[in-house]
């Protein structure tokens, strides 16, 4: 179970870094100058954060953490797939990012909680250390992969990479038992 969560945090941050290494170029291609990118990112992030809060509360208080967790992965997967069809419109990109950040924020909030629930009491520090290390490695690998894929093959290659990584994570998460 811990390995699934470790892979999950790696996949989440690798996909995020790959996406946000390449997405600014897509926004610029639509005429949005770099100094204006906040107009897309800020509302998407804040909306995702606000919507995530009640979902996490339901997951934690009603013993539905795995369902909420899986739905977070599904939301990021849907958003990434929809982005492939939305690169021609700032509004559609913004809508996809709202869905993405709802899922992302659910996962950011629920995964550490799940690690601490699953790890044995005497190994919680070690489990969180491995988890945090894989988060950082995911950021590194995602940035490298996103940059190389975008430079050599374009935005669709970056999105394909994020989709494959997130789909693999979804399968492993579905097959993993729910934390007690």
């Amino acid at each position: 179970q811990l390995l699934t969560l470790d892979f999950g945090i790696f996949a989440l941050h690798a996909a995020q870094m790959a996406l946000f290494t390449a997405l600014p170029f897509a926004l610029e291609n639509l005429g949005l100058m770099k100094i204006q990118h906040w107009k897309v990112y800020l509302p998407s992030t804040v909306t995702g954060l606000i919507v995530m809060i009640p979902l996490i509360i339901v997951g934690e208080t009603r013993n539905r953490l795995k369902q909420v967790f899986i739905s977070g992965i599904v939301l990021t997967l849907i958003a990434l797939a929809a982005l492939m069809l939305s690169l021609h419109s700032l509004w559609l990109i913004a809508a996809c990012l709202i869905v993405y950040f709802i899922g992302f924020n659910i996962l950011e909030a629920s995964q550490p909680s799940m690690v601490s629930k699953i790890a044995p009491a005497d190994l919680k520090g070690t489990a969180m250390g491995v988890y945090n290390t894989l988060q950082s490695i995911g950021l590194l690998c995602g940035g490298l992969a996103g940059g190389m894929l975008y430079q050599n093959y374009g935005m669709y290659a970056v999105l394909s990479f994020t989709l494959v990584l997130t789909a693999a994570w979804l399968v492993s998460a579905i097959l993993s038992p729910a934390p007690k």
Side-chain angles (χ1 to χ4, degrees):
Q1 284 179 300
L2 288 173
L3 290 177
T4 298
L5 292 171
D6 291 340
F7 174 69
I9 197 63
F10 170 85
L12 179 65
H13 284 276
Q16 181 194 35
M17 188 55 75
L19 175 65
F20 287 101
T21 297
L23 191 61
F25 297 110
L27 295 177
E28 284 183 26
N29 290 341
L30 292 172
L32 192 65
M33 295 177 6
K34 284 181 189 177
I35 197 162
Q36 297 175 320
H37 288 194
W38 69 270
K39 293 178 181 178
V40 174
Y41 297 142
L42 182 65
S44 303
T45 305
V46 170
T47 303
L49 191 63
I50 291 168
V51 174
M52 170 272 304
I53 292 170
L55 296 173
I56 290 296
I57 291 171
V58 166
E60 288 283 355
T61 60
R62 298 196 180 145
N63 199 25
R64 301 220 185 278
L65 191 55
K66 182 170 181 178
Q67 292 91 333
V68 171
F69 176 71
I70 296 293
S71 66
I73 301 171
V74 169
L75 286 171
T76 60
L77 194 60
I78 288 169
L80 293 167
L83 268 171
M84 290 189 102
L85 305 172
S86 304
L87 295 175
H88 63 280
S89 166
L90 284 173
W91 289 106
L92 290 175
I93 289 173
C96 290
L97 288 178
I98 288 170
V99 173
Y100 176 83
F101 278 115
I102 293 169
F104 180 86
N105 289 326
I106 287 170
L107 297 165
E108 277 288 289
S110 62
Q111 285 196 108
S113 170
M114 292 172 74
V115 170
S116 68
K117 285 178 170 84
I118 293 168
D122 60 329
L123 295 175
K124 285 190 190 301
T126 302
M128 288 306 296
V130 170
Y131 174 86
N132 289 333
T133 300
L134 284 167
Q135 179 178 1
S136 298
I137 293 170
L139 290 167
L140 171 69
C141 293
L144 288 171
M148 290 187 336
L149 287 169
Y150 185 80
Q151 181 179 14
N152 294 310
Y153 304 104
M155 189 67 187
Y156 291 105
V158 174
L159 289 171
S160 296
F161 167 74
T162 64
L163 281 167
V164 168
L165 194 58
T166 306
W169 177 25
L170 176 61
V171 170
S172 70
I174 288 171
L175 296 175
S176 183
K180 295 179 180 173

